Amino acid sequence: MKPEALDWSVENCTIGRAMAILGERWTLVVLREVFNGVRRFDDMRVRTGIPRQVLTNRLAVLVERGVLRREPYREPGARVRHEYRLTRMGLDLWPVLVAVLAWGDRYLADPEGSPLSVRHRDCDEPVRVALRCAAGHEVSEPRDVVPRPGPGARRRAD
């Protein structure tokens, strides 16, 4: 029995489009730093060890695609430089980073645990990503979800 998903095209898939922006090895590391308040190029480079040209390219793509914006700043006596700030599109990636962190903590953390935790500012409890359907039911198992063609789906031409 063939999967129903083979009946529709994935040429216009938004997962593929998202991965064209996010899929490079260092992109989520750059976003982690910006979410953690590290916004300046030299600070990012030193903190992450990302090669200069790779970081330059990653930041350029994230700015070009609307995930980050450049904001000018000037230290006294120095030239104008830029720091990187999240746009609305970038801020909407927060659940993705929290989900990747949780997965990494579960399967890849050192024995002493993760070096990073995310906590709710109001109550200091750990934050987790939860999936819910439009009716508000929490979805905890992948088998509780059924993929269906969306409104932009195109029938495959065989």
Side-chain angles (χ1 to χ4, degrees):
M1 173 177 220
K2 77 174 189 168
E4 183 182 345
L6 291 174
D7 291 337
W8 67 84
S9 171
V10 292
E11 290 176 20
N12 65 340
C13 175
T14 55
I15 291 174
R17 289 177 183 176
M19 292 314 294
I21 299 169
L22 302 175
E24 196 275 333
R25 173 181 176 193
W26 292 108
T27 300
L28 292 182
V29 173
V30 168
L31 291 172
R32 176 198 68 199
E33 293 306 307
V34 178
F35 272 109
N36 286 335
V38 179
R39 297 183 182 99
R40 296 181 178 182
F41 182 93
D42 287 335
D43 294 336
M44 279 186 228
R45 194 176 60 74
V46 168
R47 186 167 153 87
T48 63
I50 299 173
R52 179 177 290 281
Q53 192 58 51
V54 172
L55 181 56
T56 298
N57 293 345
R58 281 296 87 207
L59 289 168
V61 167
L62 291 169
V63 168
E64 175 187 318
R65 300 304 294 265
V67 176
L68 297 176
R69 69 180 190 282
R70 289 171 30 128
E71 292 286 329
Y73 73 92
R74 179 185 295 210
E75 297 288 343
R79 66 180 171 86
V80 172
R81 302 187 70 166
H82 292 90
E83 61 182 23
Y84 296 88
R85 301 280 182 148
L86 293 156
T87 62
R88 171 49 45 201
M89 181 190 284
L91 288 166
D92 284 347
L93 286 168
W94 179 239
V96 174
L97 266 71
V98 173
V100 170
L101 174 63
W103 184 86
D105 287 353
R106 182 172 183 173
Y107 296 106
L108 305 171
D110 291 338
E112 59 273 9
S114 178
L116 177 66
S117 74
V118 289
R119 298 192 167 267
H120 186 222
R121 185 182 307 271
D122 290 346
C123 69
D124 201 37
E125 287 298 315
V127 171
R128 66 180 179 86
V129 173
L131 297 177
R132 296 187 185 284
C133 72
H137 306 116
E138 188 162 332
V139 179
S140 59
E141 294 297 321
R143 285 185 166 69
D144 293 338
V145 177
V146 178
R148 299 260 196 265
R154 298 181 187 136
R155 201 104 178 108
R156 257 179 63 119
D158 290 326

